[in-house]
Amino acid sequence: MPNAARIERIYGQVVRRNPGEAEFHQAVKEVIETLAPVLAKYPEYAEHKVIERICEPERQLIFRVPWHDDRGEVQISRGFRVQFNSVLGPYKGGLRFHPSVYLGIVKFLGFEQIFKNALTGMPIGGAKGGSDFDPKGRSDAEVMRFCQSFMTELHRHLGEFTDVPAGDIGVGAREIGYLFGQYKRMTNRYESGVLTGKSPQWGGSLVRREATGYGTVYFVEEMLRARGESIDGKTCVVSGSGNVAIYAIEKLQQLGGRVVACSDSNGVIHHARGIDLALVKRLKEVERRRIADYADVHRDASYVAGGRLWDIPCDIALPCATQNELDEAAARRLVENGCTAIAEGANMPTTPGGVRVFQQSGIAYGPGKAANAGGVATSALEMQQNASRDAWSFGHTEQRLHDIMSGIHRNCHEAAAEFGSPGNYVLGANIVGFRRVADAMLALGVI
Ligand code: NDP
Ligand code: 2IT
């Protein structure tokens, strides 16, 4: 069977076997539609049904998470962990707490995570999890009780050699603390390496908080360097105002970029003079407020509820909020306005139509599984420190992150050229990530 037809058939099977999971279908399609030239060069992958096996998670957990709210009422949330692939190492990937979470989102994220983690070159498999629990407006005590109930069920499936969760949307150091506390209590073990994204005060790695945002900007730096350009003096927009967005803004500013806009799910802040990052950090990290409040402090900034961030002219755009936040029309707008580099801090933030626009325009486009891999790579560095009972300095860890991002860029760049599409980081990332997983699957037999 011709390889294009084989891939089409596999995609059809994925859609039929996983009904109603649109994001998962989208993520699978985006990867496997680039793999025909790989199957042509390495027929053993088709012979051993490697793609078919990769598309089926090794294990999927769905569980009840009952908890008491502050009024004493019982609430019932749904918990998920999809342990997708463990040929390269223990399952690894974040937990997302957001009301939109359902199996299709967890599976898309877990599927992406397999290839992203392979790209880092670290010994980590792919997984994702989370809950439809909405932390917004919940007290610390409610978040703690929820996390304790979530871990009471999940702990039996985790372990430093089995499955190592971390943060994602709605899960940061506070939640990781409550989750770790309950894991420790349930197992009677101080097993630091079972979760990453811990506070550096009790086993976390320096730079993990900054890693995804910093890494995304390092990836931009490399893409621009390959074109003889740099970040210095460039106008930038960053979507979101959470963990990834904040540290992407910080690194852009350190490298001379002028960040003029950021957002949250309610609206957009545009500050032509440059975003005041200390204020964003205070509002979001300390006071847990909305980005709208930024405009109360800076009267020369504008806040537009439901605004369109991607309409703001820029040289560099970093989607750092959520999936499918940048559609075809937005992509056209960015290109028309002269944007020359996009890197995805978020997972799958660009719709397939948007990706086509970027690819046809020839601008530098770094897909999430390469551009945002710095977060999970630094999680793997945290695991390494925990395993050796060591704690590295900020400078040393940041240098390791920088080297890992340069390496990912180089590998994707070279693979794209090797397979006849120079500059196509989508192709490069998919091929490098896939081949690492596929070769390990061949070596480990039919499992
Ligand atoms: P946070 O929870 O810290 O921040 C999320 C940000 O995105 C907030 O500004 C939030 O706005 C916005 N957002 C979330 N959901 C939506 C939505 N449905 N529509 C519009 N805006 C939304 O999460 P992170 O910064 O950690 O994660 C951001 C992205 O980066 C996600 O795609 C995540 O998967 C990805 N990522 C994260 C990594 C990490 O290490 N944390 C690693 C690699 C990728 P609001 O407050 O209004 O909800
Ligand atoms: O999407 C991601 O890579 C993450 N949310 C981080 C995963 C991790 O294990 O650090």
Side-chain angles (χ1 to χ4, degrees), residues 286-422:
V286 182
E287 298 170 1
R288 296 183 186 273
R289 285 162 61 184
R290 310 300 298 160
I291 202 66
D293 298 340
Y294 183 102
D296 295 339
V297 179
H298 285 295
R299 296 300 177 154
D300 59 335
S302 66
Y303 173 74
V304 181
R308 294 156 58 100
L309 180 86
W310 310 121
D311 285 356
I312 298 170
C314 63
D315 303 303
I316 298 170
L318 306 185
C320 296
T322 194
Q323 65 276 354
N324 293 326
E325 57 167 312
L326 201 170
D327 64 12
E328 187 174 341
R332 281 226 178 79
R333 205 51 196 269
L334 282 164
V335 173
E336 279 161 16
N337 284 339
C339 179
T340 54
I342 314 279
E344 297 180 337
N347 286 304
M348 205 170 75
T350 312
T351 64
V355 174
R356 265 193 305 278
V357 171
F358 292 147
Q359 291 193 314
Q360 283 161 7
S361 73
I363 69 174
Y365 167 60
K369 66 174 77 61
N372 72 41
V376 75
T378 308
S379 278
L381 298 179
E382 184 167 324
M383 292 165 74
Q384 219 174 309
Q385 291 168 78
N386 292 153
S388 60
R389 299 179 180 278
D390 199 357
W392 307 340
S393 70
F394 194 96
H396 174 75
T397 316
E398 191 183 7
Q399 186 60 49
R400 294 280 303 261
L401 167 65
H402 190 275
D403 293 347
I404 290 167
M405 294 312 297
S406 305
I408 293 173
H409 175 272
R410 190 175 53 249
N411 291 332
C412 295
H413 199 260
E414 286 174 4
E418 182 192 338
F419 282 84
S421 271

Side-chain angles (χ1 to χ4, degrees), residues 172-191:
R174 174 183 62 170
E175 290 73 21
I176 294 294
Y178 296 146
L179 291 164
F180 184 75
Q182 187 70 356
Y183 182 86
K184 186 177 78 59
R185 187 184 188 194
M186 302 292 296
T187 58
N188 194 31
R189 281 162 62 86
Y190 203 105
E191 192 184 327

Side-chain angles (χ1 to χ4, degrees), residues 3 94 110 122 133 155 168 175 193 320 435:
N3 288 317
M122 319 286 288
F133 170 73
H155 83 280
D168 193 79
E175 290 73 21
C320 296
R435 288 207 56 212

Side-chain angles (χ1 to χ4, degrees), residues 102-382:
Y102 77 107
L103 188 58
I105 289 202
V106 180
K107 276 160 78 175
F108 117 64
L109 290 163
F111 186 77
E112 284 283 291
Q113 201 80 44
I114 303 171
F115 306 103
K116 181 197 305 190
N117 293 5
L119 276 170
T120 67
M122 319 286 288
I124 41 180
K128 203 79 184 193
S131 174
D132 57 2
F133 170 73
D134 185 358
K136 278 204 193 78
R138 292 294 178 188
S139 68
D140 271 359
E142 288 176 316
V143 170
M144 180 184 76
R145 287 194 295 273
F146 170 80
C147 288
Q148 290 177 339
S149 181
F150 184 89
M151 187 53 93
T152 299
E153 177 57 33
L154 190 61
H155 83 280
R156 66 188 94 251
H157 304 288
L158 305 182
E160 62 175 319
F161 299 113
T162 306
D163 185 353
V164 182
D168 193 79
I169 291 175
V171 178
R174 174 183 62 170
E175 290 73 21
I176 294 294
Y178 296 146
L179 291 164
F180 184 75
Q182 187 70 356
Y183 182 86
K184 186 177 78 59
R185 187 184 188 194
M186 302 292 296
T187 58
N188 194 31
R189 281 162 62 86
Y190 203 105
E191 192 184 327
S192 296
V194 73
L195 285 165
T196 61
K198 301 179 295 293
S199 163
Q201 293 163 331
W202 45 272
S205 175
L206 293 173
V207 192
R208 177 62 190 86
R209 180 182 58 180
E210 293 83 359
T212 311
Y214 279 20
T216 302
V217 176
Y218 292 143
F219 198 87
V220 173
E221 208 183 11
E222 296 292 341
M223 291 197 301
L224 291 179
R225 199 197 315 277
R227 294 164 174 241
E229 293 177 47
S230 76
I231 290 172
D232 193 25
K234 297 280 195 315
T235 301
C236 314
V237 303
V238 176
S239 67
S241 50
N243 172 263
V244 179
I246 286 173
Y247 293 95
I249 295 171
E250 181 163 285
K251 186 52 76 180
L252 284 169
Q253 292 180 341
Q254 286 173 9
L255 296 176
R258 195 167 56 94
V259 184
V260 298
C262 63
S263 63
D264 64 16
S265 59
N266 296 127
V268 173
I269 283 288
H270 186 188
H271 199 180
R273 186 154 67 79
I275 291 288
D276 172 358
L277 187 61
L279 175 59
V280 177
K281 284 187 181 178
R282 177 162 66 77
L283 290 174
K284 303 304 290 191
E285 294 186 330
V286 182
E287 298 170 1
R288 296 183 186 273
R289 285 162 61 184
R290 310 300 298 160
I291 202 66
D293 298 340
Y294 183 102
D296 295 339
V297 179
H298 285 295
R299 296 300 177 154
D300 59 335
S302 66
Y303 173 74
V304 181
R308 294 156 58 100
L309 180 86
W310 310 121
D311 285 356
I312 298 170
C314 63
D315 303 303
I316 298 170
L318 306 185
C320 296
T322 194
Q323 65 276 354
N324 293 326
E325 57 167 312
L326 201 170
D327 64 12
E328 187 174 341
R332 281 226 178 79
R333 205 51 196 269
L334 282 164
V335 173
E336 279 161 16
N337 284 339
C339 179
T340 54
I342 314 279
E344 297 180 337
N347 286 304
M348 205 170 75
T350 312
T351 64
V355 174
R356 265 193 305 278
V357 171
F358 292 147
Q359 291 193 314
Q360 283 161 7
S361 73
I363 69 174
Y365 167 60
K369 66 174 77 61
N372 72 41
V376 75
T378 308
S379 278
L381 298 179
E382 184 167 324

